[in-house]
Amino acid sequence: MLQKSLCLMLFLWFSVLPFDSSAKAPATNACTVTKAYYDRLLSGGSKSSEAELRLFMSLMPKGGDIHHHFSGATYAETYLDMIRKAGCWVNRNDYTVICPEDTGSLKDTLSVDNLRKDNRALAAFFSRWSDKDYFNHSHDTDPPDTQFFGTFAYFSKILSRNYPAFYKEGIGILKRRAKIENVQYLETMLVSSGYKKTDPAFDNAIRSAYGDERKFRSCLDNFMVLIQKDPGANDSVQRYRDLVNTCSEGVDDETFTLRYQSYVSRTLSPSEFFSGLYAAFQEASNSALVVGVNVVSAENNPVSMSDYRVQMQMFRYLKEKFPAVKTTMHAGELTMGMVRPEELAYHITDALFVAGAGRVGHGVDIAYENNAPMVLDYLRQKQVPIEVCLTSNEFILGVKGAAHPIDLYVRNGVPLVIATDDPGVSRNNLANEYLLLATRYGYSYDFIKQVVGNSIRHSFMSDQDKVRNSRLLQRKFDEFESRIAAFAAARNTRMR
Ligand SMILES: [Zn+2]
């Protein structure tokens, strides 16, 4: 356990005394009592109460969730509501959305009302649109990564069906949930720019130019001129800005802030990837609400793997064109067996040293990277955080517990943030991620508070918003610790 000198003293003190010591604690000592209470819960071994620790994490302020996909955060139940409202149906064979204008037979469709009455079909729907019931009974399943990333194919049709109203509705639901969960900030990946320019000649040229910097840059220079002349690019950036503005109306308040990341999918061809990334940078540079750019989709996809280095160079190029735009990248969301061993050796390294990522999403393959010591040193010196998504990593990669590199990062002074990734697909929440952090790795309360603080400190919101949110977080911790001290006191009074 880290940072345990004070906590250890307190723990020893509370271990030999009845737990009612906290009952006598003055209000100003609420933080000390909370630490001792947390240590007591954590150190109980088989006698410890996971439910009580969950209660603790549920009430605890959790700052921001800054690795968060909007469509993957939306629960399948909400999508069913949207399908019903849109007057569409669900295909009873593959559980895709069917709408009135779709051609073909409607005999294989189920209305949402009938789907909800059919337990077997409803269970099958949830198992397609999320990870629900993946492990708890025997049935035919896709591999976890295929299952997880496959869910996203279902979402976009219904979201775009009532555009932008369903996006706004979804944001409202996520805000209400965040407030209930004591989360004050979401930095969500709302949607990709939707702009792409397909150009097979460019695809061939840029791939063959890789390794020749002058040729590579000249190829990008020429292609960017074409994009800038394309009215479709500007239209798409404008449409994105309108969507963001609509979704944000009336959302920020004294205790909640919402910001967005734009992104591009790494499974696209080079021309589509570069044009989409250009639009994403434009979006982030044109709106104060769009605070960063990301790259998404399965990292082990054949295109993601074969074009990884080309894509990192494209990222670098656009970062030079848009120096004020902040970037975070999914990188190292891989593990042994998923790809060939040599392909585990460089993704985080390139995301940092070629693309210049300001944060790293997942970073799970660090122990396989050739330059891991240098990467760890860089992350510590520059204080570049790793966005750790424990549930997602366990499901998609099968990496959990001691096999997860979280402690490798911590021991090397790399800042962490804890995030949900896709809580609607994974059917988890941020409290659950902190519960895993505590029970699996035994970190101290002081350390966990520091990780929560990182979610504001290392977010991409403006400095002014950070100051406001840091003050709010401090107030929230004061309230939380008073509440825990009172709860522990009452509990111990009853136990006498
Ligand atoms: Zn993600």
Side-chain angles (χ1 to χ4, degrees):
M1 192 181 295
L2 297 179
Q3 302 180 5
K4 61 183 179 183
S5 54
L6 179 60
C7 284
L8 180 62
M9 285 167 60
L10 288 164
F11 164 66
L12 292 172
W13 183 50
F14 277 94
S15 305
V16 294
L17 291 172
F19 209 46
D20 62 349
S21 302
S22 55
K24 295 165 191 162
T28 50
N29 212 20
C31 173
T32 308
V33 175
T34 303
K35 278 186 204 178
Y37 175 74
Y38 170 84
D39 281 351
R40 177 80 172 223
L41 291 179
L42 201 61
S43 61
S46 59
K47 284 185 282 184
S48 72
S49 164
E50 187 173 306
E52 200 163 346
L53 201 51
R54 184 180 293 280
L55 182 155
F56 185 95
M57 292 305 180
S58 295
L59 297 180
M60 186 181 77
K62 287 169 281 290
D65 194 351
I66 64 173
H67 184 125
H68 181 274
H69 301 257
F70 167 77
S71 64
T74 299
Y75 268 67
E77 287 89 333
T78 301
Y79 284 120
L80 273 184
D81 289 340
M82 292 175 176
I83 295 167
R84 189 175 186 277
K85 275 186 209 167
C88 298
W89 306 274
V90 172
N91 183 306
R92 64 167 75 234
N93 300 316
D94 63 9
Y95 297 93
T96 54
V97 177
I98 304 291
C99 293
E101 71 278 13
D102 291 332
T103 52
S105 169
L106 297 182
K107 76 177 169 51
D108 283 336
T109 60
L110 271 171
S111 70
V112 170
D113 289 345
N114 284 337
L115 177 71
R116 282 175 168 153
K117 286 179 204 159
D118 184 335
N119 285 344
R120 187 174 286 267
L122 188 61
F125 171 85
F126 282 127
S127 73
R128 297 291 188 103
W129 283 61
S130 74
D131 297 339
K132 191 169 187 290
D133 298 328
Y134 190 85
F135 289 120
N136 66 4
H137 69 290
S138 174
H139 61 127
D140 289 339
T141 56
D142 290 325
D145 56 334
T146 309
Q147 156 73 24
F148 186 93
F149 289 107
T151 60
F152 291 89
Y154 294 104
F155 306 151
S156 60
K157 180 167 180 177
I158 190 59
L159 282 169
S160 59
R161 176 77 189 169
N162 190 1
Y163 180 98
F166 280 165
Y167 282 93
K168 183 155 182 66
E169 184 180 330
I171 288 291
I173 291 168
L174 293 177
K175 175 185 171 179
R176 282 196 292 283
R177 187 176 304 144
K179 285 204 165 197
I180 289 167
E181 293 173 359
N182 211 355
V183 172
Q184 66 189 66
Y185 176 61
L186 288 181
E187 193 172 296
T188 194
M189 289 166 253
L190 184 65
V191 66
S192 68
S193 71
Y195 175 69
K196 58 183 178 189
K197 191 169 182 63
T198 309
D199 187 334
F202 170 82
D203 295 342
N204 290 333
I206 198 75
R207 281 175 174 142
S208 62
Y210 180 77
D212 180 335
E213 194 169 345
R214 193 193 54 75
K215 212 166 154 187
F216 192 90
R217 292 182 76 89
S218 138
C219 210
L220 291 182
D221 287 341
N222 295 336
F223 192 53
M224 200 164 83
V225 171
L226 293 181
I227 293 169
Q228 286 168 331
K229 282 186 190 160
D230 181 359
N234 277 335
D235 290 350
S236 136
V237 171
Q238 185 57 47
R239 184 176 148 93
Y240 190 92
R241 183 164 29 184
D242 292 345
L243 175 66
V244 160
N245 289 340
T246 302
C247 286
S248 300
E249 268 168 22
V251 170
D252 281 11
D253 61 26
E254 279 187 2
T255 59
F256 185 77
T257 304
L258 174 69
R259 295 292 179 266
Y260 306 88
Q261 291 174 14
S262 185
Y263 62 84
V264 67
S265 168
R266 62 192 351 149
T267 60
L268 299 170
S269 69
S271 53
E272 292 170 342
F273 178 89
F274 183 77
S275 50
L277 190 60
Y278 171 81
F281 270 90
Q282 277 283 9
E283 287 152 6
S285 69
N286 286 345
S287 166
L289 295 168
V290 184
V291 293
V293 170
N294 209 326
V295 54
V296 307
S297 302
E299 199 169 326
N300 60 325
N301 171 279
V303 176
S304 311
M305 292 305 296
S306 63
D307 283 346
Y308 192 85
R309 285 189 146 139
V310 168
Q311 292 176 355
M312 292 303 103
Q313 290 288 351
M314 290 175 167
F315 227 96
R316 178 194 193 111
Y317 176 90
L318 286 171
K319 254 188 100 74
E320 285 170 19
K321 303 282 177 200
F322 297 89
V325 172
K326 293 173 178 158
T327 55
T328 175
M329 306 182 71
H330 288 70
E333 193 183 4
L334 298 170
T335 193
M336 184 63 84
M338 242 183 163
V339 293
R340 289 168 288 185
E342 61 274 22
E343 293 172 322
L344 293 170
Y346 62 90
H347 277 206
I348 303 171
T349 307
D350 280 15
L352 293 166
F353 294 98
V354 177
R359 300 198 312 241
V360 173
H362 300 293
V364 175
D365 80 2
I366 182 65
Y368 301 96
E369 300 234 352
N370 279 344
N371 296 306
M374 181 184 75
V375 170
L376 290 167
D377 202 41
Y378 175 88
L379 292 167
R380 178 184 55 77
Q381 278 190 28
K382 302 278 182 191
Q383 288 292 286
V384 173
I386 303 295
E387 302 158 3
V388 174
C389 307
L390 294 171
T391 296
S392 171
N393 296 158
E394 180 176 350
F395 187 87
I396 298 171
L397 307 176
V399 175
K400 65 172 181 176
H404 195 284
I406 188 167
D407 224 28
L408 177 60
Y409 286 118
V410 172
R411 286 172 195 278
N412 282 280
V414 177
L416 301 181
V417 293
I418 293 294
T420 55
D421 206 4
D422 297 278
V425 176
S426 301
R427 301 182 79 83
N428 66 331
N429 65 8
L430 201 50
N432 195 68
E433 299 304 294
Y434 277 98
L435 181 69
L436 295 178
L437 185 70
T439 54
R440 289 183 177 174
Y441 304 102
Y443 294 128
S444 70
Y445 177 64
D446 281 340
F447 180 77
I448 286 188
K449 270 177 92 168
Q450 192 184 317
V451 172
V452 172
N454 285 346
S455 68
I456 302 300
R457 191 175 306 119
H458 294 290
S459 74
F460 288 160
M461 66 176 118
S462 69
D463 288 346
Q464 199 182 0
D465 285 338
K466 279 189 191 180
V467 169
R468 187 171 52 81
N469 271 283
S470 297
R471 287 191 187 129
L472 174 62
L473 184 61
Q474 183 57 53
R475 275 206 311 280
K476 280 174 170 281
F477 265 112
D478 290 346
E479 285 166 17
F480 165 70
E481 286 163 0
S482 297
R483 211 172 162 194
I484 289 294
F487 178 68
R491 174 185 181 277
N492 291 315
T493 304
R494 281 194 299 276
M495 285 174 68
R496 273 183 191 148

